[in-house]
Amino acid sequence: MAAPSEPVHLLELDDRPDRRRPWFASLWRHRDVLGILARADFHARYKRATFGVLWAVAVPVLQSLVLAVVFSRVIRVGDARRFGAYVLAGVLAWSYFSLTVTAASTSIVDASTLTDKVWFPRALLPTVPCLANLPGLLVSIVCLVIALPFLRADIGPRLLLLVPALALLLAFTLALGLALAALDVYFRDVKFLVQAGLLMWFYVTPVAYSKDLLGALARYADFNPLTGVVALFQMAAVGRQAHWQRPVLVSVVTTVVVMAVALEFQRRHDRLFTDLL
Amino acid sequence: MTDTAIRLEGVGKRYWKIDERAMLLRSLLPFARPQRTEFWALRDIDLSIGQGDVVGVIGRNGAGKTTLLRMLAGVTRPTAGRLRVRGRVAPLISVGVGFHREMSGRENVYVNGMLLGLSKREIDRRFDAIVDFAELEDFIDTPVKFYSSGMFMRLGFAAAVHTDPEVLLVDEVLAVGDVAFQVKCVERMKEIREAGTTIVLVSHNLQSVRILCPRAVVLRHGQVELDGPVEDAIARHHQILTEEAEAHHGVGEQHYVGGVVVEERELLGPEGPAHYVEANAPMRLRFKARFEREIDSPMFGFSIVATDGTVASRVFSPVSLVHRRFAAGQDVLVELRFTARLAGGTYRIAESMTTSDGLGLLYNSPAPVTFEVGTRHGTYGIADLDAVVSVDGVELRHERTPGLGVP
């Protein structure tokens, strides 16, 4: 890039994976591709629907409504409306997570026709749904904030917690998406494992109930990396929870580890994926 | 001009063929290794292509052509050896790369351009030229799922050839659209070539290889069989086709019905054995027929067939003139002389022999000889009628050199 007018493109390949620095550089160089693919994905999803992106909000709101109504009867909650805010905050995060992971985990296999002609780092593909689903999540969060006063939760500086909450959610979702998408190329069972896994994961994560209800099991819930992510959203909505530090730490550490492993795997197998598609 | 744009040193690519039954088993036992056998799509490829060179790659299906292009595009990496490509690469491999059906033609041009490495501004600059080339002004804001396949391919081709790449990889795309558009594509390829772009063209259409590439590489079973002038390469390719057809059918064994064996068959052009001739060249198909039993007045038949199966000509010997009895074990030399009054293209010629009443098949060639007739500019179809257009008595003749001229 020393001579800006005439950048020399040089492709050198042998039986070794791309080296780290050029690979990460190529990730960055292809950011435009990422942007346009994410936009294409977003448009393709909502273009033909009359209510468009509103569905991204409507679905978690309806889900939260049902969960809040049902669970507030089943378990004893102090204040049903506040409980509604708590559930809504968790469900927003959860629905972004489950929607994105589902799409990301099959993204490399699904894009096989797109990618057997032109090369760009395959790691971009699982990143696409993370970006494409982001507008929906942001709109949902705005709606949540607007709804808070009606759910007897005041608006205060703790809403700033939404920033790290969002960052952690995105990072964890992306890390998992990168890892699963790469695995899916080798084991097509991943698609079904993800379906089954998400179904169970929802119930073991304190989204529709509070962690205290688990009693002795609460300790184990802390080692669920989603507990910390969801907890940050819930604290932003309805205030401080006891013992939030450990689950958040678990989330952060898991995210870092999964991300590092997934990126390394992606790099090593980048130009080999297409052989198996 | 002497700079190397593409260099391959000992490049090989191994794939694993996985047994489908083993896959089923594996789905039951998640960690059992599937049965797999290795298979080298490419092996020991050494190739050097200079900047601005135009090189054709030919070979049968499965010879490794597409794998080679995919590797040059960087999509897959070699299992052995090293490869270097200098310059921005635009792959034009089955057009319409990355087209998104729900999006409009306009949006797709941008996706496509960015996948090929252009910035938004660079695409802005080329946009009108692309739409103009694709002849899609009225449909550019329509989702591409409503496009006809012709429109779709035109847009894909237009988008790819306007990226001004330094290295253009082309796979079987010159068969895009109607004849008028094909002519436009060839013209555009010519311009790209003149701009100094390195082009690697993979094609089954030997005519387009011959027109565009002075040099060609013949791949066979993943290895370079020949790397040289395009005429030699095409001749070698036809030789391979003929050889493999013969090997496949086992000539002279189970296929003669009535007791004739054909040996030492050769196709001759004006200057000896030839698989490639110019239009209107004198040709001979010659072979030795040996009679394994006594045969009375056989009839000799020949058919010349174009690649699409159209019979260009069928010829039979008159019975009365060969009224001759052949003894068992006797050898005769049979020769068919003809003028290749054929339009440019690939043809197969096959010989057969029947009994005098034409009902009993004594011999039917299991493996036709393939040959190629060079295109004369302005002549298409099957027959070359040596036609000349004249206006006010002035004959309008095409230049003798077909296609792009200077090698």
Side-chain angles (χ1 to χ4, degrees), chain A residues 9 11 13 114 271 274-275, chain B residues 13 70 74 76 83 85 87 98:
Chain A
H9 297 257
L11 170 71
L13 293 180
L114 172 72
R271 294 182 205 262
T274 155
D275 298 349
Chain B
K13 179 74 193 179
R70 284 157 56 98
T76 183
L83 152 151
V85 181

Side-chain angles (χ1 to χ4, degrees), chain A residues 110-192:
Chain A
D110 290 346
S112 59
T113 52
L114 172 72
T115 56
D116 65 347
K117 322 279 162 46
V118 200
W119 184 80
F120 53 85
R122 296 306 185 244
L124 292 187
L125 291 170
T127 316
V128 167
C130 296
L131 273 187
N133 291 336
L134 194 55
L137 174 64
L138 293 177
V139 174
S140 308
I141 288 176
V142 170
C143 293
L144 169 72
V145 172
I146 294 170
L148 281 181
F150 303 98
L151 297 168
R152 274 182 255 207
D154 53 334
I155 291 187
R158 65 165 197 285
L159 284 176
L160 288 176
L161 260 182
L162 283 170
V163 176
L166 196 58
L168 189 58
L169 174 64
L170 293 184
F172 181 62
T173 309
L174 177 60
L176 203 62
L178 285 169
L180 291 171
L183 272 181
D184 186 41
V185 176
Y186 295 90
F187 307 100
R188 298 295 160 88
D189 318 55
V190 163
K191 184 178 176 181
F192 304 103

Side-chain angles (χ1 to χ4, degrees), chain B residues 27-92:
Chain B
S27 65
L28 298 172
L29 306 167
F31 297 106
R33 290 217 104 172
Q35 283 289 323
R36 49 183 208 171
T37 44
E38 68 170 25
F39 133 79
W40 289 82
L42 288 176
R43 201 155 209 180
D44 299 327
I45 303 282
D46 291 305
L47 201 60
S48 174
I49 296 175
Q51 205 175 316
D53 284 1
V54 179
V55 177
V57 178
I58 56 184
R60 300 195 52 196
N61 284 331
K65 304 188 296 289
T66 303
T67 306
L68 179 66
L69 273 205
R70 284 157 56 98
M71 219 178 264
L72 295 179
V75 171
T76 183
R77 69 174 191 240
T79 318
R82 299 160 50 82
L83 152 151
R84 211 184 62 186
V85 181
R86 184 187 287 275
R88 198 159 54 81
V89 178
L92 226 168

Side-chain angles (χ1 to χ4, degrees), chain B residues 155-168:
Chain B
L155 188 63
F157 186 88
V161 294
H162 283 83
T163 53
D164 301 327
E166 287 148 289
V167 178
L168 183 67

Side-chain angles (χ1 to χ4, degrees), chain A residues 96-109 122-131 133 168-185 190 194 198 201 254-255 258-263 265-266 273:
Chain A
Y96 172 82
F97 173 76
S98 67
L99 204 65
T100 306
V101 165
T102 307
S105 61
T106 58
S107 59
I108 295 182
V109 171
R122 296 306 185 244
L124 292 187
L125 291 170
T127 316
V128 167
C130 296
L131 273 187
N133 291 336
L168 189 58
L169 174 64
L170 293 184
F172 181 62
T173 309
L174 177 60
L176 203 62
L178 285 169
L180 291 171
L183 272 181
D184 186 41
V185 176
V190 163
V194 166
L198 285 174
W201 207 341
T254 314
T255 301
V258 174
M259 183 74 92
V261 172
L263 282 173
F265 192 80
Q266 286 274 355
F273 287 141

Side-chain angles (χ1 to χ4, degrees), chain B residues 29-327:
Chain B
L29 306 167
F31 297 106
R33 290 217 104 172
Q35 283 289 323
R36 49 183 208 171
T37 44
E38 68 170 25
F39 133 79
W40 289 82
L42 288 176
R43 201 155 209 180
D44 299 327
I45 303 282
D46 291 305
L47 201 60
S48 174
I49 296 175
Q51 205 175 316
D53 284 1
V54 179
V55 177
V57 178
I58 56 184
R60 300 195 52 196
N61 284 331
K65 304 188 296 289
T66 303
T67 306
L68 179 66
L69 273 205
R70 284 157 56 98
M71 219 178 264
L72 295 179
V75 171
T76 183
R77 69 174 191 240
T79 318
R82 299 160 50 82
L83 152 151
R84 211 184 62 186
V85 181
R86 184 187 287 275
R88 198 159 54 81
V89 178
L92 226 168
I93 309 175
S94 62
V95 277
V97 168
F99 273 29
H100 213 300
R101 291 173 46 75
E102 291 286 339
M103 295 189 343
S104 70
R106 179 185 302 275
E107 291 166 310
N108 268 304
V109 167
Y110 280 88
V111 176
N112 199 263
M114 284 181 184
L115 284 174
L116 297 181
L118 295 181
S119 68
K120 186 176 176 303
R121 188 173 309 168
E122 287 172 309
I123 302 169
D124 288 340
R125 259 207 330 266
R126 292 165 169 83
F127 189 79
D128 291 339
I130 293 173
V131 176
D132 187 48
F133 188 90
E135 301 163 17
L136 285 173
E137 289 83 352
D138 299 337
F139 299 95
I140 198 63
D141 289 309
T142 308
V144 297
K145 67 176 172 184
F146 296 122
Y147 281 23
S148 70
S149 60
M151 291 159 79
F152 193 80
M153 291 199 287
R154 290 207 307 266
L155 188 63
F157 186 88
V161 294
H162 283 83
T163 53
D164 301 327
E166 287 148 289
V167 178
L168 183 67
L169 308 174
V170 187
D171 189 0
E172 297 290 3
V173 283
L174 295 175
V176 167
D178 52 23
V179 173
F181 192 74
Q182 282 183 27
V183 169
K184 209 158 126 183
C185 291
V186 172
E187 292 302 312
R188 178 68 191 173
M189 297 282 289
K190 231 194 277 188
E191 282 171 34
I192 293 174
R193 175 187 149 147
E194 252 119 64
T197 304
T198 310
I199 302 178
V200 179
L201 172 70
V202 163
S203 186
H204 285 110
N205 181 351
L206 299 173
Q207 285 303 324
S208 60
V209 173
R210 224 174 65 78
I211 289 172
L212 288 162
C213 316
R215 170 185 165 197
V217 173
V218 182
L219 287 182
R220 185 186 196 182
H221 305 317
Q223 288 177 307
V224 175
E225 176 86 11
L226 184 146
D227 178 359
V230 68
E231 309 294 338
D232 296 358
I234 289 176
R236 181 77 193 110
H237 178 64
H238 283 305
Q239 217 175 324
I240 291 173
L241 288 183
T242 308
E243 273 171 30
E244 293 191 352
E246 282 177 358
H248 188 250
H249 290 285
V251 67
E253 283 174 9
Q254 59 274 73
H255 274 266
Y256 70 96
V257 189
V260 179
V261 180
V262 166
E263 287 169 336
E264 296 171 29
R265 183 179 56 169
E266 55 183 345
L267 185 66
L268 304 166
E271 291 136 23
H275 291 278
Y276 171 78
V277 293
E278 296 295 340
N280 296 316
M283 297 190 76
R284 282 172 300 162
L285 177 72
R286 192 161 66 185
F287 58 85
K288 209 161 75 179
R290 194 173 68 242
F291 298 91
E292 301 202 311
R293 58 182 168 83
E294 191 185 276
I295 288 167
D296 191 22
S297 305
M299 196 155 52
F300 297 88
F302 300 87
S303 55
I304 298 174
V305 181
T307 35
D308 64 357
T310 312
V311 178
S313 183
R314 194 165 273 160
V315 181
F316 293 100
S317 62
V319 187
S320 56
L321 296 185
V322 245
H323 191 68
R324 233 177 106 175
R325 188 178 293 265
F326 296 100

Side-chain angles (χ1 to χ4, degrees), chain A residues 4-237:
Chain A
S5 58
E6 192 86 22
V8 174
H9 297 257
L10 186 64
L11 170 71
E12 282 182 307
L13 293 180
D14 51 29
D15 60 335
R16 287 166 305 179
D18 292 37
R19 274 177 313 211
R20 272 188 196 86
R21 189 195 280 261
W23 189 75
F24 281 106
S26 74
L27 271 182
W28 176 245
R29 217 178 38 244
H30 286 86
R31 61 191 184 281
D32 284 351
V33 175
L34 175 63
I36 199 152
L37 286 179
R39 255 188 38 200
D41 198 46
F42 179 81
H43 281 287
R45 181 160 316 148
Y46 296 118
K47 203 169 201 172
R48 309 278 296 176
T50 316
F51 294 104
V53 70
L54 282 182
W55 283 113
V57 183
V59 174
V61 166
L62 289 173
Q63 194 186 356
S64 312
L65 199 67
V66 173
L67 288 170
V69 169
V70 172
F71 274 74
S72 62
R73 301 293 141 94
V74 175
I75 57 183
R76 203 163 301 278
V77 291
D79 181 336
R81 284 215 218 170
R82 251 182 105 79
F83 181 66
Y86 172 90
V87 172
L88 187 55
V91 168
L92 289 184
W94 169 263
S95 43
Y96 172 82
F97 173 76
S98 67
L99 204 65
T100 306
V101 165
T102 307
S105 61
T106 58
S107 59
I108 295 182
V109 171
D110 290 346
S112 59
T113 52
L114 172 72
T115 56
D116 65 347
K117 322 279 162 46
V118 200
W119 184 80
F120 53 85
R122 296 306 185 244
L124 292 187
L125 291 170
T127 316
V128 167
C130 296
L131 273 187
N133 291 336
L134 194 55
L137 174 64
L138 293 177
V139 174
S140 308
I141 288 176
V142 170
C143 293
L144 169 72
V145 172
I146 294 170
L148 281 181
F150 303 98
L151 297 168
R152 274 182 255 207
D154 53 334
I155 291 187
R158 65 165 197 285
L159 284 176
L160 288 176
L161 260 182
L162 283 170
V163 176
L166 196 58
L168 189 58
L169 174 64
L170 293 184
F172 181 62
T173 309
L174 177 60
L176 203 62
L178 285 169
L180 291 171
L183 272 181
D184 186 41
V185 176
Y186 295 90
F187 307 100
R188 298 295 160 88
D189 318 55
V190 163
K191 184 178 176 181
F192 304 103
L193 289 174
V194 166
Q195 278 175 13
L198 285 174
L199 197 66
M200 291 184 287
W201 207 341
F202 177 74
Y203 290 101
V204 299
T205 307
V207 172
Y209 53 86
S210 122
K211 202 172 68 182
D212 314 331
L213 284 172
L214 290 175
L217 287 176
R219 276 195 303 151
Y220 300 107
D222 285 353
F223 292 100
N224 169 358
L226 265 186
T227 306
V229 178
V230 169
L232 285 178
F233 277 93
Q234 290 159 341
M235 291 199 301

